[in-house]
Amino acid sequence: MFAIVLGMLIVICGVLFLRMHAFLALFFGALVVAAVTASHSISDSALNHVTATITQASGQRLLLGDVGEDLAKKPGAFYVVPNASASVPPTLVWVDAFIEEDGTAIAMLSQADSVDSWTGGQLVPESKYTQAKQLAGSSPINRVAAALGKTFEKIGILIAMASIIGQCLLVSGAAERIVTGIRNALGERWTTLAFVISSFVLAIPVFFDTVFFLMLPLAQAMARRTGKDYLKYVLSIIVGGSLAHSLVPPTPGPLFVAAELNVSIGAMVIGGIGVGIWGVIAGYFYMLWANRTWQIPLRVEASTSTDSISSPDAINQNMPGFWFSILPVIVPVLLLGLKTFHQTMGGGPDGPLGEIWDSTVSFLGDKNIALSLGAILALLILITRPAMTWAGLAGSVQKALSEGGVVVLITCAGGAFGEMIRQTNVGETIAHALPASVGGVGLLVTAFLITVAIRVIQGSSTVAMITAIGIVVPVANQMGLPFHPVYLALAIGCGSKPLPWMNDSGFWVISRMSGFTEKETLKTFTVLLTIMGVVSFLATLVFAMVLPLV
């Protein structure tokens, strides 16, 4: 636990007090944790769920208990690792077969020399044992570098493509076309609902800060036009965009958490929308109450004219069509959802056509392919705009990748930090320390509270999710989950929302851009996100109990 506390102090103090870049804070935290972790903890963490305890050794029969869920019961070479009190070295044996007798797993050996000291020891596959020893013997910097590369393999392409989609939507005018299209469809009476829906849709491929920058001039223009309800228009943007930032990939936080828990992107998207909608509803009603309770005036000049809001003809002339604009967002979501549904239904029909269908869905529904197709569509929208040149297109892509590269670095450093925490074997320690009565629901509550604590301490919701997952995943692996791991990912995402305050960059973006005072931001933005996070978490608990999906 000392290593974990030390690493978290480095990350939190580095970000909060030293104003260190998040990548450096996470990288140095990971390196320190790796350096102070004992080699036996590293090897033990690598062997979790691939071992079995020898409860009785007799001749060529080894009776097994606590069989790891990832232990392949197949003939092959295994190491018998005696317990510490035996004081004998590990023995390499050959297992001919695994059998079951009265519910007990038994390993049948080809031969056995001395088995007296084997009771209480561990049966470990030779390949896993060798890998664990090699990992324990490698240098701290090599382990950190390997974890960085492993994280990039999971999310590097996704973040790059999401950055391209977001940049192209902004530059081409497609993002504003989505907003105005939804508003025109719902009518002026439902402008706030249009803002909620638009910001939620845009926050899937575009970072929340950028969504707020894009839509705030529209909110200011509406407030100038009506002469009231400025707070309602501003909060409607936050209601729609903030939860998608933490619950719906491909934004970095939920994308990383889903990858660490081996949750498909499609399942995370569906789950994020499914629980997030309840937080959005709660936030919407709080927004209406806050607007009636406090009259906050528009103190800054709107940068968007009311004409651009109210003239559909001008919109149609200067922006791409609505359905063309929204394709880069909905096509990846539909492909990911199709693959998730396809897997849930057990695949397509039998025969050659079924095999072709399975291969097609598997290819198009791959997360990297789906996001890449979305990026291609976004590029097509941008290059078809009047006066757009190939040089301009290249510049937009370069800007997107430059901004996305920073996010990739931070996220990969967070992955390395989480991996170094896992190598301390903290999962076993915490799992044994928790009361036996703590089950799956208790683990969800624990994950939520850990994320809330880290979020309040250091401010960043993404860093909170990245740090919390490194602590929670080992515990989940030790205890097991009675429900789909997507619920654990959602609990962590919900925990990154409550209690944003002055150490959160988003707090200052909202305050300064909207013209709110610090007190006004605390009683509106801070309370709003807290309500939304808690309500979404309660929805996650209910779904996990009623619809476990195991």
Side-chain angles (χ1 to χ4, degrees):
M1 293 298 292
F2 169 75
I4 298 171
V5 173
L6 182 60
M8 291 183 65
L9 284 175
I10 291 173
V11 173
I12 293 171
C13 293
V15 173
L16 189 59
F17 299 112
L18 301 179
R19 303 298 180 186
M20 191 182 294
H21 193 280
F23 167 75
L24 292 177
L26 289 165
F27 174 75
F28 287 133
L31 195 58
V32 169
V33 172
V36 300
T37 302
S39 59
H40 68 84
S41 296
I42 299 171
S43 59
D44 288 346
S45 68
L47 294 176
N48 281 335
H49 301 292
V50 296
T51 65
T53 302
I54 301 173
T55 58
Q56 183 180 342
S58 176
Q60 294 173 284
R61 293 163 57 91
L62 302 181
L63 275 64
L64 306 178
D66 297 328
V67 179
E69 60 187 42
D70 297 327
L71 176 65
K73 298 179 182 179
K74 297 179 180 180
F78 285 75
Y79 270 101
V80 174
V81 184
N83 55 39
S85 61
S87 300
V88 294
T91 303
L92 186 63
V93 299
W94 185 270
V95 176
D96 284 335
F98 286 91
I99 61 175
E100 294 278 343
E101 288 186 3
D102 299 327
T104 301
I106 299 175
M108 302 298 298
L109 307 182
S110 59
Q111 61 181 7
D113 298 324
S114 175
V115 299
D116 296 337
S117 61
W118 289 3
T119 300
Q122 301 289 319
L123 187 67
V124 187
E126 179 192 24
S127 59
K128 299 295 184 182
Y129 182 83
T130 303
Q131 291 172 8
K133 288 301 179 183
Q134 289 175 346
L135 180 65
S138 61
S139 66
I141 186 61
N142 284 342
R143 287 188 281 122
V144 171
L148 279 164
K150 184 179 178 181
T151 307
F152 182 85
E153 180 184 359
K154 294 179 181 178
I155 52 91
I157 295 175
L158 300 177
I159 292 179
M161 294 303 168
S163 299
I164 292 174
I165 293 173
Q167 179 67 15
C168 290
L169 290 181
L170 293 173
V171 175
S172 65
E176 189 173 353
R177 183 64 179 88
I178 293 171
V179 177
T180 53
I182 293 175
R183 178 187 173 276
N184 291 335
L186 294 177
E188 186 170 328
R189 179 183 177 186
W190 299 101
T191 296
T192 51
L193 181 60
F195 282 0
V196 170
I197 297 172
S198 301
S199 57
F200 189 89
V201 171
L202 292 176
I204 294 175
V206 181
F207 298 135
F208 172 69
D209 289 358
T210 306
V211 172
F212 190 77
F213 292 149
L214 169 72
M215 296 191 61
L216 182 62
L218 305 179
Q220 292 171 340
M222 286 303 303
R224 287 181 61 196
R225 179 177 175 180
T226 60
K228 60 180 181 179
D229 294 336
Y230 178 53
L231 176 61
K232 182 171 70 172
Y233 294 130
V234 172
L235 292 186
S236 65
I237 300 172
I238 301 170
V239 167
S242 59
L243 274 179
H245 179 76
S246 294
L247 293 177
V248 184
T251 47
L255 181 65
F256 177 76
V257 170
E260 291 296 289
L261 287 167
N262 294 319
V263 174
S264 70
I265 303 300
M268 191 66 186
V269 169
I270 295 171
I273 294 174
V275 303
I277 191 66
W278 299 101
V280 168
I281 292 172
Y284 189 83
F285 282 108
Y286 174 77
M287 172 196 73
L288 297 178
W289 176 85
N291 187 65
R292 290 195 302 267
T293 305
W294 301 298
Q295 294 301 317
I296 299 178
L298 172 62
R299 303 186 180 104
V300 291
E301 284 298 315
S303 59
T304 302
S305 69
T306 55
D307 292 339
S308 67
I309 298 285
S310 58
S311 176
D313 294 334
I315 290 170
N316 292 333
Q317 292 174 6
N318 299 321
M319 301 177 191
F322 176 80
W323 292 109
F324 191 31
S325 298
I326 205 171
L327 278 179
V329 179
I330 63 173
V331 166
V333 172
L334 290 176
L335 290 176
L336 293 168
L338 175 63
K339 182 177 180 180
T340 301
F341 177 78
H342 180 74
Q343 292 174 338
T344 303
M345 298 301 294
D350 296 332
L353 291 178
E355 293 179 0
I356 295 173
W357 172 247
D358 291 343
S359 299
T360 303
V361 172
S362 178
F363 175 76
L364 295 178
D366 179 85
K367 56 187 179 182
N368 292 313
I369 296 297
L371 265 293
S372 298
L373 291 175
I376 292 173
L377 290 171
L379 290 169
L380 288 175
I381 293 175
L382 184 56
I383 196 61
T384 56
R385 302 308 301 144
M388 176 55 63
T389 63
W390 288 105
L393 181 69
S396 296
V397 173
Q398 181 175 346
K399 182 179 179 181
L401 294 179
S402 297
E403 295 175 353
V406 175
V407 178
V408 169
L409 282 175
I410 294 173
T411 311
C412 289
F417 181 66
E419 179 62 26
M420 295 310 104
I421 289 178
R422 279 192 288 277
Q423 290 180 9
T424 65
N425 208 24
V426 64
E428 184 175 5
T429 302
I430 297 179
H432 290 164
L434 290 174
S437 58
V438 174
V441 172
L443 185 57
L444 289 180
V445 174
T446 302
F448 176 78
L449 294 178
I450 288 174
T451 313
V452 169
I454 298 173
R455 197 274 205 273
V456 171
I457 291 171
Q458 54 79 46
S460 169
S461 60
T462 300
V463 173
M465 295 176 70
I466 290 172
T467 306
I469 194 67
I471 300 172
V472 172
V473 167
V475 183
N477 290 337
Q478 286 289 332
M479 298 178 61
L481 293 175
F483 41 70
H484 196 286
V486 70
Y487 293 118
L488 186 57
L490 295 174
I492 292 173
C494 295
S496 71
K497 291 291 97 179
L499 301 175
W501 60 296
M502 280 80 163
N503 64 350
D504 177 15
S505 62
F507 178 93
W508 295 109
V509 168
I510 302 298
S511 175
R512 292 295 178 261
M513 292 293 295
S514 62
F516 292 176
T517 65
E518 288 82 355
K519 182 178 179 180
E520 289 169 343
T521 309
L522 283 170
K523 67 184 182 182
T524 56
F525 170 68
T526 300
V527 176
L528 174 66
L529 257 64
T530 301
I531 291 173
M532 294 174 67
V534 171
V535 171
S536 296
F537 173 66
L538 293 177
T540 302
L541 285 180
V542 172
F543 280 118
M545 291 185 289
V546 175
L547 193 66
L549 299 176
V550 290

